[in-house]
Amino acid sequence: MANTSNNVAGVDNTFRRKFDREEYLERARERERQEEEGRAKPKAKGPPVQRKPLKHRDYEVDLESRLGKTQVVTPVAPLSQQAGYYCSVCECVVKDSANYLDHINGKKHQRALGMSMRAERSSLKQVQERFENLKKRKDLGSFTEQDFDERILKQQQEEEERKRLRREKKKEKKKEAVEEPETDPDVAALMGFGGFRSSNKK
């Protein structure tokens, strides 16, 4: 028991990791070679996808057909029958109408339809034709100041009529409240209602 030390011969108890420097240097050199090859060789890209420019929607967006309706939602229902607005192009469900509008006007949806987010550039001739079409559609002789004055006068008369009817209803309610139903004093005394009248009469 003369040699009682904690160090036992042949056991490594330093718990330090020992790295093979040569192995890691070789790995680093290999990684650098691969990066250089990747930089030297450009990625083979296909031709850029030509997409159509944005165009007007040719359908009406249905946001109000299910407004105020109750629907049973099950977790195993297909996407098209779940709660919210279903986009059949992107196959996704959006929970409210504002987000649905954002989705159908957004980049992902437009790309799925085959359109880019760029609008077609119009020529001067196209703009002039558009103005001419809008002028033809609008009838200039259909509305005059006299029509406007007549509409204002009509609205004022309708408002006065509504006020008069409200006043009459209030008067009728007051009359009904003031008039007490006539009861026979003998019957009232018999039933015990004689003492409920107020002492100050009008």
Side-chain angles (χ1 to χ4, degrees):
M1 293 232 145
N3 190 3
T4 58
S5 70
N6 292 337
N7 293 337
V8 179
V11 176
D12 184 15
N13 61 0
T14 58
F15 299 104
R16 293 186 68 182
R17 292 183 70 184
K18 293 183 175 66
F19 296 100
D20 186 7
R21 285 183 174 276
E22 294 300 320
E23 180 186 350
Y24 285 102
L25 277 173
E26 185 60 36
R27 283 188 191 177
R29 288 183 192 123
E30 181 65 28
R31 187 175 58 242
E32 286 175 0
R33 262 186 261 124
Q34 288 176 354
E35 287 176 359
E36 285 178 16
E37 289 174 8
R39 279 189 229 125
K41 187 176 21 173
K43 293 181 182 177
K45 288 185 179 179
V49 178
Q50 294 293 324
R51 298 183 185 276
K52 297 180 286 185
L54 282 175
K55 63 177 183 176
H56 290 286
R57 255 192 298 275
D58 55 355
Y59 61 92
E60 192 70 28
V61 178
D62 181 27
L63 296 176
E64 298 165 354
S65 66
R66 296 191 295 172
L67 188 65
K69 299 219 169 113
T70 306
Q71 179 181 1
V72 176
V73 179
T74 60
V76 294
L79 282 176
S80 61
Q81 295 175 357
Q82 288 185 1
Y85 296 91
Y86 177 69
C87 175
S88 58
V89 176
C90 303
E91 295 180 354
C92 65
V93 176
V94 185
K95 295 299 179 190
D96 59 6
S97 60
N99 285 332
Y100 180 66
L101 285 174
D102 286 344
H103 169 74
I104 63 175
N105 292 329
K107 184 186 278 187
K108 179 182 172 188
H109 184 80
Q110 296 300 328
R111 282 207 174 152
L113 290 174
M115 288 188 272
S116 68
M117 292 303 287
R118 294 192 175 115
E120 186 178 6
R121 191 142 172 96
S122 299
S123 66
L124 177 64
K125 185 177 181 183
Q126 289 173 328
V127 173
Q128 289 172 341
E129 288 175 1
R130 179 74 179 209
F131 277 132
E132 290 299 321
N133 288 340
L134 290 173
K135 282 180 186 177
K136 289 176 185 175
R137 194 183 321 167
K138 184 177 171 184
D139 292 331
L140 297 175
S142 65
F143 187 75
T144 62
E145 282 188 40
Q146 186 178 9
D147 293 340
F148 185 69
D149 292 338
E150 288 175 6
R151 284 174 54 191
I152 290 177
L153 185 63
K154 186 177 179 182
Q155 285 179 346
Q156 288 174 346
Q157 290 173 350
E158 289 174 357
E159 186 63 32
E160 288 174 7
E161 182 67 22
R162 278 190 231 116
K163 286 180 181 178
R164 186 183 60 77
L165 288 173
R166 273 191 236 134
R167 275 188 244 123
E168 287 179 4
K169 285 182 182 178
K170 283 183 180 179
K171 285 180 183 178
E172 289 176 10
K173 285 182 181 179
K174 284 183 181 178
K175 285 181 184 178
E176 290 174 7
V178 170
E179 293 176 3
E180 292 182 11
E182 292 295 322
T183 55
D184 189 24
D186 295 332
V187 175
L190 182 65
M191 295 179 75
F193 294 146
F196 289 128
R197 287 211 173 163
S198 62
S199 58
N200 42 344
K201 287 190 174 183
K202 294 181 183 177

